[in-house]
Amino acid sequence: MSRISVRGFAVASATAVTTVGAVVGVASGTPQAADNDFEASAADATLLADIPVGEQAQVQVASLSQQADAQAAAADAAAKKSVEEAARIQAAKDAEAKKKAADEKAEREAEAKAAEARASRSDVRDASSFPQQGSYSVSDVQAIARQMVPGDQFQCFSNIVDHESSWNYRADNPSSDAYGLVQANPGSKMASVDSDWQTNPATQIKWGLNYMNERYGSPCGAWSFWQANNWY
């Protein structure tokens, strides 16, 4: 229904009502001072309810457009949140995988190092496997030590012997009872390995190695302590 037809119908209806009221008023002798107000009210009511067809379509289109925009914005926000959550989950998975790979690598390296150390220890010779000599040079004593001390511990062992006796297996400390390569105090402690402790560097090396392992865990542990205290 167009604006004109609706308005015309409303005005005609209001006019008819007003006319009837006027007639009744005359017949009854009642004043009709409110006729004009009634017409104005009827006209106003018609205008509030009356929205042109074209404008109705525009309002509907605008409303649908706003709804579509709101839905699109909500969809974009949901999609963005979903992407961010997926990225967070993936980052956590990547970090976990990276940590696992690093842990496995460290474990493999530790196992390889332990295997190397075991192999090194398995290659060492016992003191009793060396034939005794009347005397030993520094190079002789060092050669024996290299065959008795595990390869990964030899340098630490050597550092201690350098400081304690300069590789002199007959080194006798005049201010104490310390004796030999590792300056066992008293020297007679080395008899726990063999009675030839005064003349056999292999016996002294074995005793010193046992002492370092038992007290400090290894020659390198003993060397660390020596560096901090100048004794072991």
Side-chain angles (χ1 to χ4, degrees), residues 138-225:
V138 170
S139 59
D140 290 336
V141 176
Q142 290 176 338
I144 293 172
R146 286 186 181 279
Q147 297 177 72
M148 294 182 66
V149 179
D152 62 335
Q153 297 293 316
F154 177 78
Q155 188 58 56
C156 295
F157 184 90
S158 177
N159 291 341
I160 293 175
V161 175
D162 280 338
H163 286 282
E164 294 292 331
S165 65
S166 299
W167 290 95
N168 178 8
Y169 68 100
R170 292 183 179 274
D172 191 357
N173 191 328
S175 61
S176 70
D177 292 328
Y179 185 88
L181 294 170
V182 294
Q183 288 293 284
N185 188 14
S188 58
K189 287 182 177 180
M190 294 184 287
S192 61
V193 174
D194 204 315
S195 59
D196 62 356
W197 57 271
Q198 290 177 299
T199 59
N200 190 345
T203 297
Q204 297 180 14
I205 292 168
K206 182 175 182 178
W207 183 90
L209 184 58
N210 290 343
Y211 171 78
M212 294 177 196
N213 286 335
E214 290 172 4
R215 183 159 185 172
Y216 301 102
S218 67
C220 285
W223 173 236
S224 294
F225 184 89

Side-chain angles (χ1 to χ4, degrees), residues 121-140:
R121 286 179 172 82
S122 67
D123 292 337
V124 301
R125 293 174 59 182
D126 188 72
S128 60
S129 66
F130 295 94
Q132 291 195 37
Q133 300 175 196
S135 63
Y136 300 85
S137 66
V138 170
S139 59
D140 290 336

